[in-house]
Amino acid sequence: MGKNKYMVVLEDLVKVYDTGSSRVQVLGGVNLRIRAGQTVAIVGASGVGKSTLLQIMGTLDRPSSGRIVLDGEDLSGLDETALAQIRNKKIGFVFQFHHLLPEFNALENAAMPLLIGRWNRREAYSKAEAILERVGLAERLSHRVGELSGGEQQRVAVARALVGDPELLLADEPTGNLDSGTGQKINELLLELNEEKGLTSVVVTHNLDLARMMSRQIRLVDGQTVEER
Ligand SMILES: Nc1ncnc2c1ncn2[C@@H]1O[C@H](COP(=O)(O)OP(=O)(O)O)[C@@H](O)[C@H]1O
Ligand SMILES: [Mg+2]
C-alpha cells in the first residue's frame, strides 16, 4: 500500500470533448477522494462518463481542467513519459474486452507488462506463472488466447493487470462481456486479490451484486459524482 492516506484525489475535475462540430461536457467539476485500500464501485447510465473518469484517473487521458493527485503526486504538468512511468509502476487496468494479444499464450500475455518493462525474462515468466496460478490458470499457461474460455481470458487479463504489483487497480466493466456465473467468479477473485494485496480498486460496473460488495458506491449523474453508500 502507498505511504499516503489517499490513493486518488480528484479536485474540480472537468472534461469537455470538443470535436469541432460539437462540444460535450462529460465531467462538470468532480471532487473525489479515495483512501488507500478502499474498493469503490462507479455506477451510472451508459454514456454518462464512467469510462472517461476511469481513463483520467489512470493517466490514459487528461482532464480539461482540475487536478489529480495519485498517491500523493500531483499529475498536473507531468509530461507523457512521466505519466507512463507512473502508470506502469502503480496502476493495473482491466477492461471489458481484455485486449490480450491473440498470437501469444496465457503466460506470455500475463508477463507482457514486465517484458515491456525490461525485466529479466526468467523472472518475468516466473512472476506471471505465480499470478496465473493464483487466478486458477496453472493448467493453462501455454494455451493461446483463442484456446481459452471468456472467463479464462478475463482471468489472464486480471493476472496481467496485477503482475507488476500495482497499488491501484482500475477496472472498466470487467464482467460486462461474461455470463453472470463467470462474471460472479471474476468479481469474487477481484475482491480476494484486493484484500490479499492491499490494493485500492475502482471498478465501473453495472453489476449491483459487485457494487454492493465494495466499500463505496458512487454514481455518476450529469457530470457529478453522488455518493450512494
Ligand atoms: N474521444 C471522445 N471524443 C468525443 N466524445 C467522446 C469521446 N469519448 C467519449 N465521448 C463521449 O463522452 C460521453 C461519455 O462517454 P463514456 O465516458 O464512454 O461513458 P460511459 O463509460 O459512462 O458509458 C459520451 O457521450 C461519449 O459519446
Ligand atoms: Mg464505459
Side-chain angles (χ1 to χ4, degrees):
M1 203 182 291
K3 57 196 177 311
N4 293 290
K5 185 161 110 179
Y6 291 106
M7 182 57 59
V8 181
V9 176
L10 307 178
E11 285 177 2
D12 297 326
L13 208 70
V14 172
K15 180 67 179 181
V16 178
Y17 287 116
D18 200 339
T19 59
S21 55
S22 71
R23 191 177 169 283
V24 181
Q25 177 168 301
V26 178
L27 302 176
V30 166
N31 288 286
L32 185 61
R33 288 170 180 261
I34 299 173
R35 281 178 188 269
Q38 262 183 344
T39 55
V40 179
I42 307 276
V43 302
S46 178
V48 78
K50 305 180 297 298
S51 294
T52 299
L53 183 66
L54 212 70
Q55 302 259 329
I56 292 175
M57 240 184 242
T59 78
L60 291 169
D61 195 2
R62 287 175 187 272
S64 307
S65 66
R67 209 161 76 104
I68 314 172
V69 182
L70 274 191
D71 199 15
E73 187 165 10
D74 190 338
L75 303 188
S76 326
L78 294 186
D79 65 13
E80 274 314 314
T81 313
L83 290 179
Q85 273 171 4
I86 290 174
R87 192 152 66 227
N88 294 337
K89 193 162 150 248
K90 287 196 194 277
I91 307 176
F93 294 94
V94 180
F95 301 100
Q96 177 174 7
F97 300 100
H98 51 66
H99 303 302
L100 297 173
L101 300 169
E103 64 273 31
F104 292 98
N105 66 30
L107 184 65
E108 291 161 337
N109 268 286
M112 201 55 71
L114 302 181
L115 296 172
I116 290 168
R118 297 175 174 276
W119 275 50
N120 167 297
R121 290 180 77 80
R122 226 183 46 201
E123 285 174 31
Y125 284 130
S126 139
K127 198 126 194 282
E129 188 173 341
I131 185 81
L132 284 168
E133 281 175 15
R134 175 60 192 84
V135 302
L137 292 178
E139 311 299 324
R140 299 285 185 279
L141 302 182
S142 57
H143 283 55
R144 287 191 181 202
V145 174
E147 299 166 343
L148 298 168
S149 71
E152 288 169 341
Q153 291 175 5
Q154 201 58 316
R155 280 168 192 271
V156 176
V158 170
R160 180 186 55 186
L162 297 181
V163 77
D165 291 324
E167 294 177 24
L168 176 62
L169 178 71
L170 299 177
D172 196 350
E173 304 193 32
T175 64
N177 197 30
L178 302 173
D179 66 74
S180 65
T182 309
Q184 182 62 21
K185 290 203 184 103
I186 295 284
N187 292 340
E188 285 164 9
L189 176 67
L190 286 174
L191 288 169
E192 283 167 22
L193 289 166
N194 185 86
E195 202 151 300
E196 277 171 35
K197 296 176 184 296
L199 282 170
T200 309
S201 298
V202 183
V203 180
V204 171
T205 185
H206 290 292
N207 182 326
L208 294 180
D209 289 331
L210 174 61
R212 231 172 277 129
M213 287 189 276
M214 308 192 67
S215 34
R216 289 167 74 184
Q217 181 172 315
I218 289 166
R219 181 172 296 275
L220 201 54
V221 189
D222 295 336
Q224 301 287 336
T225 47
V226 179
E227 190 96 35
E228 297 208 317
R229 192 172 48 69

